[in-house]
Amino acid sequence: MKSSLYVEFQDKQLDQKDIVAKAKEIWTAKGNKVADLKDLTVYIKPEDNQAYYVFNNDETGSFSLN
């Protein structure tokens, strides 16, 4: 099964793949290997223009949706 997820707000369209890729960039920028990322949860909060992430049920943070 192929699936796609998009979030649309304020004349923007966000693709799930782009959001996950950005989270993985943050993970690897901290010196981690992608293979060590076992669990990724992302919460989209359009009114704050932010994505909030949880890496491996432990490490949290956020990034701008711009």
Side-chain angles (χ1 to χ4, degrees):
M1 176 185 90
K2 180 181 176 186
S3 65
S4 299
L5 173 69
Y6 298 93
V7 177
E8 294 184 337
F9 69 101
Q10 298 176 354
D11 298 325
K12 296 179 186 178
Q13 184 183 63
L14 305 172
D15 184 337
Q16 172 192 359
K17 293 174 189 170
D18 295 336
I19 293 169
V20 169
K22 177 64 177 176
K24 286 181 179 179
E25 273 181 39
I26 293 168
W27 174 256
T28 56
K30 294 180 178 193
N32 300 302
K33 296 179 183 176
V34 173
D36 293 332
L37 183 57
K38 303 298 181 195
D39 185 71
L40 170 63
T41 303
V42 179
Y43 302 88
I44 305 297
K45 195 165 181 187
E47 64 268 23
D48 292 346
N49 202 38
Q50 291 287 308
Y52 298 89
Y53 58 81
V54 182
F55 295 138
N56 294 333
N57 296 311
D58 181 46
E59 186 179 341
T60 62
S62 66
F63 58 88
S64 174
L65 295 173
N66 290 331

